[in-house]
Amino acid sequence: MATFLFDKVIFGPIKSRRLGVSLGVNLLPTDQKLCSFDCIYCECGWNPKHRESKPIIPTVQEVSEKLEAQLIKMVEEKELPDVITFAGNGEPTLHPNFDKIIDITIALRDRFCPKAKVAVLSNSTKITSKKVVEALKKVDDNIMKLDGGTNEIIDAIDQPVGEFDVHNMVKLLKQFDGDLIVQTLFMRGSYNGVSVDNTTREEIDAWIECIKEIHPRQVMIYSLDRDTPAEGLIKVELDELKEIASYIVEKIPNDIKISAN
């Protein structure tokens, strides 16, 4: 299916299902995906099988200048963002100066649009790094992916690059002491002739046990909305997603907010 790459360092603003009017920041190459996952549903497509040259990522100065210029423009047009969101063509925390860029972004936000939030969409794989964790603790919404509660389902859906263990990931996510948002995509279908489904009661129950241990302040569940690189994937419709949310609410502490869209 057709997928796309973000061709700019600063993109949007766009209307996000979950975040509102979002001004995007892409810290990754504009001509290829760079990620520690290779999710079968990723709107940016697959990781390149072979890289002919070292990926070119934006410098700290480039991000700072382009973000400042866009915020000045939005102030002039009186169309301020609800959120400045780090997303783009892969995993934003892979940028070697992610922590410095977060500090600069917060300063620019405070200067031009103090009511806006700063959010990071992350697959959680770089929270082995102390400086990444400290940077994520500074933002308003650190939104961390957890698409299942078993290694088997995460291997099937997210296809981690390198070793991944969900139990270790849960321990690492507990570093945030509950001040994080967990984001999970529910889907079913088949890939390479193998059934893939994280909506079964068994898989949801395993995931719920992880959520109980992490105890995030919020959980966002959603389903497919754009084209995917893998064929044979099936969107979980909103009515079913709400049913899953209702089941989750019965099983987790009542101070964890659940949103389904």
Tab-separated table of all heavy atoms in Angstrom, residues 140-201:
chain	number	residue	atom	x	y	z
A	140	ASP	N	5.694	17.863	28.240
A	140	ASP	CA	4.354	17.761	28.823
A	140	ASP	C	3.770	16.366	28.633
A	140	ASP	O	3.169	15.816	29.554
A	140	ASP	CB	3.423	18.796	28.181
A	140	ASP	CG	3.919	20.210	28.389
A	140	ASP	OD1	3.802	20.716	29.514
A	140	ASP	OD2	4.456	20.797	27.428
A	141	ASP	N	3.929	15.829	27.435
A	141	ASP	CA	3.349	14.522	27.123
A	141	ASP	C	4.401	13.622	26.488
A	141	ASP	O	4.722	13.765	25.304
A	141	ASP	CB	2.158	14.664	26.164
A	141	ASP	CG	0.953	15.326	26.821
A	141	ASP	OD1	0.816	15.225	28.053
A	141	ASP	OD2	0.154	15.946	26.090
A	142	ASN	N	4.967	12.725	27.288
A	142	ASN	CA	5.852	11.706	26.717
A	142	ASN	C	4.990	10.477	26.434
A	142	ASN	O	4.550	9.772	27.345
A	142	ASN	CB	7.037	11.396	27.631
A	142	ASN	CG	6.655	11.146	29.069
A	142	ASN	OD1	5.608	11.607	29.528
A	142	ASN	ND2	7.486	10.435	29.793
A	143	ILE	N	4.734	10.255	25.158
A	143	ILE	CA	3.766	9.251	24.711
A	143	ILE	C	4.547	8.038	24.206
A	143	ILE	O	5.176	8.076	23.153
A	143	ILE	CB	2.858	9.829	23.612
A	143	ILE	CG1	2.156	11.091	24.137
A	143	ILE	CG2	1.831	8.802	23.164
A	143	ILE	CD1	1.399	11.868	23.080
A	144	MET	N	4.497	6.960	24.975
A	144	MET	CA	5.357	5.811	24.751
A	144	MET	C	4.555	4.631	24.205
A	144	MET	O	3.534	4.239	24.778
A	144	MET	CB	6.056	5.423	26.050
A	144	MET	CG	6.609	6.622	26.846
A	144	MET	SD	7.865	7.563	25.950
A	144	MET	CE	9.258	6.477	26.166
A	145	LYS	N	5.048	4.045	23.132
A	145	LYS	CA	4.369	2.923	22.490
A	145	LYS	C	4.522	1.639	23.298
A	145	LYS	O	5.600	1.306	23.780
A	145	LYS	CB	4.959	2.712	21.087
A	145	LYS	CG	4.380	1.508	20.345
A	145	LYS	CD	5.210	1.161	19.118
A	145	LYS	CE	5.185	2.264	18.081
A	145	LYS	NZ	3.863	2.355	17.432
A	146	LEU	N	3.417	0.895	23.410
A	146	LEU	CA	3.451	-0.475	23.916
A	146	LEU	C	2.297	-1.219	23.255
A	146	LEU	O	1.157	-1.127	23.693
A	146	LEU	CB	3.320	-0.515	25.444
A	146	LEU	CG	3.500	-1.908	26.063
A	146	LEU	CD1	4.934	-2.399	25.898
A	146	LEU	CD2	3.105	-1.911	27.536
A	147	ASP	N	2.594	-1.940	22.182
A	147	ASP	CA	1.554	-2.547	21.364
A	147	ASP	C	1.142	-3.945	21.813
A	147	ASP	O	0.339	-4.591	21.131
A	147	ASP	CB	1.996	-2.590	19.895
A	147	ASP	CG	1.879	-1.233	19.211
A	147	ASP	OD1	1.089	-0.399	19.682
A	147	ASP	OD2	2.585	-1.011	18.207
A	148	GLY	N	1.689	-4.401	22.922
A	148	GLY	CA	1.291	-5.715	23.412
A	148	GLY	C	1.977	-6.041	24.717
A	148	GLY	O	2.866	-5.315	25.171
A	149	GLY	N	1.564	-7.154	25.295
A	149	GLY	CA	2.128	-7.566	26.558
A	149	GLY	C	2.986	-8.813	26.476
A	149	GLY	O	3.440	-9.322	27.502
A	150	THR	N	3.213	-9.303	25.262
A	150	THR	CA	4.063	-10.481	25.072
A	150	THR	C	5.116	-10.175	24.015
A	150	THR	O	4.887	-9.374	23.085
A	150	THR	CB	3.247	-11.706	24.626
A	150	THR	OG1	2.696	-11.463	23.310
A	150	THR	CG2	2.128	-12.002	25.598
A	151	ASN	N	6.263	-10.823	24.137
A	151	ASN	CA	7.312	-10.635	23.132
A	151	ASN	C	6.844	-11.090	21.757
A	151	ASN	O	7.206	-10.497	20.747
A	151	ASN	CB	8.567	-11.417	23.533
A	151	ASN	CG	9.290	-10.782	24.702
A	151	ASN	OD1	9.264	-9.569	24.874
A	151	ASN	ND2	9.926	-11.611	25.525
A	152	GLU	N	6.029	-12.147	21.737
A	152	GLU	CA	5.595	-12.712	20.461
A	152	GLU	C	4.768	-11.702	19.665
A	152	GLU	O	4.982	-11.525	18.458
A	152	GLU	CB	4.784	-13.996	20.701
A	152	GLU	CG	5.582	-15.170	21.216
A	152	GLU	CD	5.948	-15.059	22.691
A	152	GLU	OE1	5.331	-14.221	23.408
A	152	GLU	OE2	6.853	-15.794	23.132
A	153	ILE	N	3.838	-11.013	20.326
A	153	ILE	CA	2.983	-10.085	19.578
A	153	ILE	C	3.757	-8.831	19.188
A	153	ILE	O	3.561	-8.276	18.093
A	153	ILE	CB	1.692	-9.739	20.363
A	153	ILE	CG1	0.630	-9.161	19.412
A	153	ILE	CG2	1.970	-8.773	21.507
A	153	ILE	CD1	0.117	-10.142	18.395
A	154	ILE	N	4.667	-8.369	20.047
A	154	ILE	CA	5.463	-7.192	19.694
A	154	ILE	C	6.428	-7.524	18.563
A	154	ILE	O	6.639	-6.719	17.652
A	154	ILE	CB	6.186	-6.641	20.934
A	154	ILE	CG1	5.153	-5.999	21.874
A	154	ILE	CG2	7.251	-5.614	20.544
A	154	ILE	CD1	5.712	-5.440	23.150
A	155	ASP	N	7.013	-8.718	18.588
A	155	ASP	CA	7.874	-9.134	17.479
A	155	ASP	C	7.090	-9.159	16.169
A	155	ASP	O	7.596	-8.759	15.115
A	155	ASP	CB	8.457	-10.527	17.744
A	155	ASP	CG	9.569	-10.521	18.775
A	155	ASP	OD1	10.091	-9.427	19.089
A	155	ASP	OD2	9.908	-11.605	19.286
A	156	ALA	N	5.840	-9.622	16.228
A	156	ALA	CA	5.024	-9.749	15.020
A	156	ALA	C	4.552	-8.407	14.494
A	156	ALA	O	4.549	-8.177	13.277
A	156	ALA	CB	3.816	-10.655	15.306
A	157	ILE	N	4.167	-7.492	15.389
A	157	ILE	CA	3.597	-6.208	14.964
A	157	ILE	C	4.675	-5.143	14.775
A	157	ILE	O	4.696	-4.442	13.768
A	157	ILE	CB	2.553	-5.711	15.988
A	157	ILE	CG1	1.338	-6.647	15.998
A	157	ILE	CG2	2.112	-4.284	15.670
A	157	ILE	CD1	0.291	-6.281	17.047
A	158	ASP	N	5.577	-5.018	15.743
A	158	ASP	CA	6.540	-3.913	15.746
A	158	ASP	C	7.888	-4.281	15.125
A	158	ASP	O	8.657	-3.385	14.772
A	158	ASP	CB	6.779	-3.421	17.178
A	158	ASP	CG	5.517	-2.859	17.818
A	158	ASP	OD1	4.668	-2.355	17.080
A	158	ASP	OD2	5.385	-2.943	19.052
A	159	GLN	N	8.187	-5.567	15.026
A	159	GLN	CA	9.440	-6.041	14.426
A	159	GLN	C	10.659	-5.236	14.909
A	159	GLN	O	11.290	-4.506	14.131
A	159	GLN	CB	9.345	-5.998	12.896
A	159	GLN	CG	8.225	-6.856	12.333
A	159	GLN	CD	8.330	-7.060	10.837
A	159	GLN	OE1	8.467	-8.168	10.367
A	159	GLN	NE2	8.280	-5.981	10.064
A	160	PRO	N	10.988	-5.334	16.207
A	160	PRO	CA	12.125	-4.575	16.736
A	160	PRO	C	13.423	-4.882	15.998
A	160	PRO	O	13.664	-6.031	15.605
A	160	PRO	CB	12.204	-5.043	18.200
A	160	PRO	CG	10.842	-5.573	18.511
A	160	PRO	CD	10.324	-6.148	17.236
A	161	VAL	N	14.228	-3.839	15.832
A	161	VAL	CA	15.551	-4.002	15.233
A	161	VAL	C	16.518	-4.288	16.385
A	161	VAL	O	16.814	-3.410	17.189
A	161	VAL	CB	15.978	-2.732	14.476
A	161	VAL	CG1	17.379	-2.901	13.910
A	161	VAL	CG2	14.972	-2.417	13.369
A	162	GLY	N	16.989	-5.501	16.498
A	162	GLY	CA	17.815	-5.876	17.640
A	162	GLY	C	16.981	-6.546	18.713
A	162	GLY	O	15.797	-6.861	18.525
A	163	GLU	N	17.583	-6.758	19.867
A	163	GLU	CA	16.916	-7.475	20.945
A	163	GLU	C	15.846	-6.598	21.614
A	163	GLU	O	16.014	-5.398	21.765
A	163	GLU	CB	17.938	-7.919	21.994
A	163	GLU	CG	18.927	-8.956	21.469
A	163	GLU	CD	19.876	-9.431	22.549
A	163	GLU	OE1	19.725	-8.988	23.709
A	163	GLU	OE2	20.769	-10.241	22.230
A	164	PHE	N	14.761	-7.253	22.004
A	164	PHE	CA	13.673	-6.547	22.707
A	164	PHE	C	13.022	-7.526	23.664
A	164	PHE	O	12.749	-8.680	23.309
A	164	PHE	CB	12.632	-6.018	21.719
A	164	PHE	CG	11.517	-5.244	22.374
A	164	PHE	CD1	11.599	-3.873	22.519
A	164	PHE	CD2	10.395	-5.902	22.867
A	164	PHE	CE1	10.581	-3.161	23.145
A	164	PHE	CE2	9.369	-5.202	23.480
A	164	PHE	CZ	9.463	-3.827	23.621
A	165	ASP	N	12.775	-7.078	24.883
A	165	ASP	CA	12.076	-7.898	25.867
A	165	ASP	C	11.033	-7.036	26.556
A	165	ASP	O	11.364	-6.002	27.159
A	165	ASP	CB	13.051	-8.468	26.902
A	165	ASP	CG	12.334	-9.302	27.939
A	165	ASP	OD1	11.919	-10.437	27.619
A	165	ASP	OD2	12.171	-8.816	29.071
A	166	VAL	N	9.783	-7.444	26.460
A	166	VAL	CA	8.695	-6.608	26.974
A	166	VAL	C	8.782	-6.443	28.492
A	166	VAL	O	8.448	-5.367	29.029
A	166	VAL	CB	7.320	-7.182	26.552
A	166	VAL	CG1	7.024	-8.493	27.226
A	166	VAL	CG2	6.204	-6.167	26.840
A	167	HIS	N	9.257	-7.455	29.200
A	167	HIS	CA	9.341	-7.343	30.655
A	167	HIS	C	10.400	-6.324	31.060
A	167	HIS	O	10.208	-5.548	32.010
A	167	HIS	CB	9.630	-8.711	31.261
A	167	HIS	CG	8.600	-9.739	30.911
A	167	HIS	ND1	7.292	-9.644	31.347
A	167	HIS	CD2	8.656	-10.859	30.139
A	167	HIS	CE1	6.592	-10.668	30.876
A	167	HIS	NE2	7.397	-11.421	30.142
A	168	ASN	N	11.503	-6.299	30.334
A	168	ASN	CA	12.524	-5.279	30.596
A	168	ASN	C	12.006	-3.893	30.237
A	168	ASN	O	12.285	-2.913	30.942
A	168	ASN	CB	13.791	-5.589	29.804
A	168	ASN	CG	14.920	-4.631	30.130
A	168	ASN	OD1	15.316	-4.490	31.279
A	168	ASN	ND2	15.452	-3.964	29.112
A	169	MET	N	11.237	-3.808	29.155
A	169	MET	CA	10.675	-2.520	28.761
A	169	MET	C	9.729	-1.982	29.842
A	169	MET	O	9.730	-0.788	30.148
A	169	MET	CB	9.931	-2.654	27.424
A	169	MET	CG	9.317	-1.346	26.939
A	169	MET	SD	10.525	-0.017	26.802
A	169	MET	CE	11.670	-0.718	25.604
A	170	VAL	N	8.943	-2.853	30.432
A	170	VAL	CA	8.049	-2.431	31.507
A	170	VAL	C	8.852	-1.855	32.667
A	170	VAL	O	8.508	-0.805	33.231
A	170	VAL	CB	7.165	-3.606	31.967
A	170	VAL	CG1	6.441	-3.262	33.268
A	170	VAL	CG2	6.149	-3.966	30.888
A	171	LYS	N	9.939	-2.507	33.024
A	171	LYS	CA	10.796	-2.005	34.108
A	171	LYS	C	11.340	-0.623	33.770
A	171	LYS	O	11.395	0.264	34.632
A	171	LYS	CB	11.953	-2.977	34.351
A	171	LYS	CG	11.541	-4.298	34.968
A	171	LYS	CD	12.746	-5.211	35.156
A	171	LYS	CE	12.335	-6.559	35.725
A	171	LYS	NZ	13.504	-7.459	35.858
A	172	LEU	N	11.747	-0.435	32.526
A	172	LEU	CA	12.286	0.862	32.109
A	172	LEU	C	11.210	1.945	32.119
A	172	LEU	O	11.469	3.090	32.514
A	172	LEU	CB	12.909	0.741	30.716
A	172	LEU	CG	14.193	-0.086	30.627
A	172	LEU	CD1	14.559	-0.360	29.175
A	172	LEU	CD2	15.342	0.626	31.327
A	173	LEU	N	10.001	1.597	31.704
A	173	LEU	CA	8.909	2.573	31.694
A	173	LEU	C	8.508	2.979	33.109
A	173	LEU	O	7.970	4.070	33.320
A	173	LEU	CB	7.709	2.009	30.934
A	173	LEU	CG	7.884	1.932	29.409
A	173	LEU	CD1	6.764	1.114	28.781
A	173	LEU	CD2	7.941	3.321	28.793
A	174	LYS	N	8.791	2.152	34.070
A	174	LYS	CA	8.491	2.498	35.466
A	174	LYS	C	9.394	3.622	35.981
A	174	LYS	O	9.107	4.208	37.028
A	174	LYS	CB	8.618	1.253	36.342
A	174	LYS	CG	7.495	0.242	36.101
A	174	LYS	CD	7.758	-1.085	36.803
A	174	LYS	CE	7.658	-0.947	38.303
A	174	LYS	NZ	7.798	-2.278	38.977
A	175	GLN	N	10.473	3.941	35.233
A	175	GLN	CA	11.335	5.063	35.614
A	175	GLN	C	10.577	6.386	35.672
A	175	GLN	O	10.998	7.324	36.348
A	175	GLN	CB	12.476	5.237	34.600
A	175	GLN	CG	13.457	4.109	34.505
A	175	GLN	CD	14.479	4.383	33.422
A	175	GLN	OE1	15.514	5.003	33.661
A	175	GLN	NE2	14.194	3.950	32.212
A	176	PHE	N	9.469	6.463	34.936
A	176	PHE	CA	8.723	7.715	34.850
A	176	PHE	C	7.742	7.889	36.010
A	176	PHE	O	7.044	8.907	36.070
A	176	PHE	CB	7.990	7.783	33.507
A	176	PHE	CG	8.921	7.857	32.330
A	176	PHE	CD1	9.265	6.714	31.626
A	176	PHE	CD2	9.478	9.061	31.942
A	176	PHE	CE1	10.136	6.768	30.550
A	176	PHE	CE2	10.348	9.133	30.877
A	176	PHE	CZ	10.681	7.980	30.174
A	177	ASP	N	7.688	6.926	36.902
A	177	ASP	CA	6.832	7.021	38.089
A	177	ASP	C	5.395	7.403	37.743
A	177	ASP	O	4.763	8.215	38.435
A	177	ASP	CB	7.416	8.024	39.095
A	177	ASP	CG	8.784	7.586	39.620
A	177	ASP	OD1	8.971	6.386	39.860
A	177	ASP	OD2	9.655	8.455	39.778
A	178	GLY	N	4.910	6.850	36.648
A	178	GLY	CA	3.531	7.080	36.251
A	178	GLY	C	3.285	8.332	35.431
A	178	GLY	O	2.193	8.522	34.900
A	179	ASP	N	4.293	9.207	35.301
A	179	ASP	CA	4.105	10.448	34.553
A	179	ASP	C	4.434	10.215	33.078
A	179	ASP	O	5.428	10.709	32.545
A	179	ASP	CB	4.978	11.560	35.125
A	179	ASP	CG	4.641	12.923	34.508
A	179	ASP	OD1	3.549	13.043	33.897
A	179	ASP	OD2	5.457	13.850	34.638
A	180	LEU	N	3.593	9.443	32.421
A	180	LEU	CA	3.739	9.152	30.995
A	180	LEU	C	2.389	8.725	30.444
A	180	LEU	O	1.455	8.423	31.193
A	180	LEU	CB	4.789	8.061	30.747
A	180	LEU	CG	4.399	6.604	31.064
A	180	LEU	CD1	5.307	5.643	30.313
A	180	LEU	CD2	4.448	6.320	32.550
A	181	ILE	N	2.321	8.709	29.127
A	181	ILE	CA	1.145	8.220	28.417
A	181	ILE	C	1.575	6.998	27.613
A	181	ILE	O	2.582	7.036	26.907
A	181	ILE	CB	0.575	9.294	27.475
A	181	ILE	CG1	0.105	10.515	28.280
A	181	ILE	CG2	-0.582	8.744	26.640
A	181	ILE	CD1	-0.242	11.716	27.415
A	182	VAL	N	0.835	5.913	27.737
A	182	VAL	CA	1.093	4.729	26.916
A	182	VAL	C	0.145	4.759	25.719
A	182	VAL	O	-1.060	5.007	25.875
A	182	VAL	CB	0.905	3.430	27.717
A	182	VAL	CG1	0.920	2.212	26.784
A	182	VAL	CG2	2.003	3.294	28.768
A	183	GLN	N	0.694	4.529	24.547
A	183	GLN	CA	-0.097	4.538	23.315
A	183	GLN	C	-0.041	3.145	22.685
A	183	GLN	O	1.038	2.590	22.492
A	183	GLN	CB	0.442	5.582	22.343
A	183	GLN	CG	-0.398	5.762	21.088
A	183	GLN	CD	0.212	6.796	20.150
A	183	GLN	OE1	1.215	6.532	19.505
A	183	GLN	NE2	-0.383	7.977	20.091
A	184	THR	N	-1.195	2.603	22.361
A	184	THR	CA	-1.271	1.242	21.826
A	184	THR	C	-2.188	1.206	20.617
A	184	THR	O	-3.308	1.725	20.661
A	184	THR	CB	-1.808	0.271	22.897
A	184	THR	OG1	-0.943	0.301	24.040
A	184	THR	CG2	-1.866	-1.146	22.363
A	185	LEU	N	-1.705	0.592	19.547
A	185	LEU	CA	-2.520	0.391	18.357
A	185	LEU	C	-3.037	-1.043	18.351
A	185	LEU	O	-2.263	-1.988	18.431
A	185	LEU	CB	-1.716	0.672	17.081
A	185	LEU	CG	-2.525	0.562	15.788
A	185	LEU	CD1	-2.130	1.680	14.814
A	185	LEU	CD2	-2.325	-0.789	15.098
A	186	PHE	N	-4.351	-1.179	18.268
A	186	PHE	CA	-4.951	-2.504	18.169
A	186	PHE	C	-5.318	-2.793	16.717
A	186	PHE	O	-5.870	-1.944	16.020
A	186	PHE	CB	-6.199	-2.593	19.064
A	186	PHE	CG	-5.872	-2.745	20.528
A	186	PHE	CD1	-5.977	-1.661	21.393
A	186	PHE	CD2	-5.441	-3.960	21.024
A	186	PHE	CE1	-5.669	-1.802	22.743
A	186	PHE	CE2	-5.125	-4.107	22.367
A	186	PHE	CZ	-5.235	-3.033	23.233
A	187	MET	N	-5.010	-4.003	16.277
A	187	MET	CA	-5.260	-4.402	14.894
A	187	MET	C	-5.263	-5.917	14.814
A	187	MET	O	-4.864	-6.623	15.736
A	187	MET	CB	-4.177	-3.835	13.973
A	187	MET	CG	-2.768	-4.128	14.444
A	187	MET	SD	-1.609	-4.472	13.120
A	187	MET	CE	-2.074	-6.144	12.734
A	188	ARG	N	-5.701	-6.401	13.677
A	188	ARG	CA	-5.638	-7.843	13.400
A	188	ARG	C	-5.420	-8.030	11.913
A	188	ARG	O	-5.470	-7.071	11.133
A	188	ARG	CB	-6.904	-8.552	13.868
A	188	ARG	CG	-8.173	-8.089	13.159
A	188	ARG	CD	-9.364	-8.978	13.513
A	188	ARG	NE	-9.696	-8.885	14.924
A	188	ARG	CZ	-10.597	-8.025	15.413
A	188	ARG	NH1	-11.230	-7.173	14.583
A	188	ARG	NH2	-10.877	-7.972	16.675
A	189	GLY	N	-5.161	-9.247	11.533
A	189	GLY	CA	-4.947	-9.548	10.135
A	189	GLY	C	-3.899	-10.619	9.972
A	189	GLY	O	-3.726	-11.486	10.838
A	190	SER	N	-3.181	-10.560	8.860
A	190	SER	CA	-2.113	-11.531	8.619
A	190	SER	C	-0.955	-10.826	7.930
A	190	SER	O	-1.141	-9.840	7.213
A	190	SER	CB	-2.613	-12.692	7.756
A	190	SER	OG	-3.011	-12.222	6.468
A	191	TYR	N	0.234	-11.350	8.171
A	191	TYR	CA	1.437	-10.810	7.542
A	191	TYR	C	2.362	-11.979	7.241
A	191	TYR	O	2.649	-12.790	8.112
A	191	TYR	CB	2.119	-9.800	8.467
A	191	TYR	CG	3.436	-9.283	7.931
A	191	TYR	CD1	3.500	-8.632	6.710
A	191	TYR	CD2	4.617	-9.481	8.646
A	191	TYR	CE1	4.705	-8.181	6.196
A	191	TYR	CE2	5.828	-9.022	8.141
A	191	TYR	CZ	5.868	-8.369	6.929
A	191	TYR	OH	7.066	-7.935	6.436
A	192	ASN	N	2.781	-12.062	6.001
A	192	ASN	CA	3.610	-13.186	5.533
A	192	ASN	C	2.954	-14.532	5.834
A	192	ASN	O	3.614	-15.508	6.207
A	192	ASN	CB	5.003	-13.132	6.170
A	192	ASN	CG	5.882	-12.063	5.544
A	192	ASN	OD1	5.616	-11.589	4.434
A	192	ASN	ND2	6.925	-11.672	6.256
A	193	GLY	N	1.631	-14.558	5.695
A	193	GLY	CA	0.900	-15.802	5.882
A	193	GLY	C	0.664	-16.203	7.317
A	193	GLY	O	0.133	-17.292	7.582
A	194	VAL	N	1.026	-15.340	8.263
A	194	VAL	CA	0.872	-15.645	9.687
A	194	VAL	C	-0.149	-14.693	10.299
A	194	VAL	O	-0.119	-13.486	10.042
A	194	VAL	CB	2.222	-15.523	10.432
A	194	VAL	CG1	2.044	-15.794	11.919
A	194	VAL	CG2	3.255	-16.469	9.827
A	195	SER	N	-1.049	-15.232	11.116
A	195	SER	CA	-2.057	-14.411	11.779
A	195	SER	C	-1.407	-13.470	12.787
A	195	SER	O	-0.508	-13.869	13.539
A	195	SER	CB	-3.072	-15.306	12.489
A	195	SER	OG	-4.003	-14.533	13.221
A	196	VAL	N	-1.846	-12.214	12.780
A	196	VAL	CA	-1.361	-11.207	13.723
A	196	VAL	C	-2.588	-10.560	14.357
A	196	VAL	O	-3.418	-9.987	13.658
A	196	VAL	CB	-0.511	-10.128	13.017
A	196	VAL	CG1	-0.042	-9.090	14.021
A	196	VAL	CG2	0.670	-10.758	12.290
A	197	ASP	N	-2.695	-10.635	15.688
A	197	ASP	CA	-3.906	-10.132	16.339
A	197	ASP	C	-3.610	-9.827	17.808
A	197	ASP	O	-3.369	-10.734	18.600
A	197	ASP	CB	-5.014	-11.184	16.239
A	197	ASP	CG	-6.367	-10.682	16.729
A	197	ASP	OD1	-6.422	-9.570	17.284
A	197	ASP	OD2	-7.367	-11.410	16.556
A	198	ASN	N	-3.605	-8.529	18.160
A	198	ASN	CA	-3.418	-8.171	19.572
A	198	ASN	C	-4.730	-7.799	20.242
A	198	ASN	O	-4.746	-7.172	21.301
A	198	ASN	CB	-2.388	-7.048	19.734
A	198	ASN	CG	-2.825	-5.720	19.129
A	198	ASN	OD1	-3.787	-5.664	18.356
A	198	ASN	ND2	-2.116	-4.651	19.458
A	199	THR	N	-5.864	-8.199	19.596
A	199	THR	CA	-7.179	-7.893	20.157
A	199	THR	C	-7.800	-9.092	20.865
A	199	THR	O	-8.924	-8.989	21.358
A	199	THR	CB	-8.154	-7.407	19.074
A	199	THR	OG1	-8.482	-8.502	18.203
A	199	THR	CG2	-7.562	-6.266	18.271
A	200	THR	N	-7.125	-10.228	20.902
A	200	THR	CA	-7.673	-11.386	21.598
A	200	THR	C	-7.680	-11.119	23.102
A	200	THR	O	-6.889	-10.319	23.619
A	200	THR	CB	-6.844	-12.647	21.323
A	200	THR	OG1	-5.538	-12.495	21.899
A	200	THR	CG2	-6.714	-12.913	19.827
A	201	ARG	N	-8.555	-11.792	23.815
A	201	ARG	CA	-8.647	-11.606	25.261
A	201	ARG	C	-7.313	-11.962	25.936
A	201	ARG	O	-6.881	-11.284	26.867
A	201	ARG	CB	-9.786	-12.462	25.818
A	201	ARG	CG	-10.114	-12.220	27.280
A	201	ARG	CD	-10.451	-10.762	27.581
A	201	ARG	NE	-11.470	-10.198	26.753
A	201	ARG	CZ	-12.784	-10.270	26.996
A	201	ARG	NH1	-13.227	-10.903	28.060
A	201	ARG	NH2	-13.653	-9.689	26.189
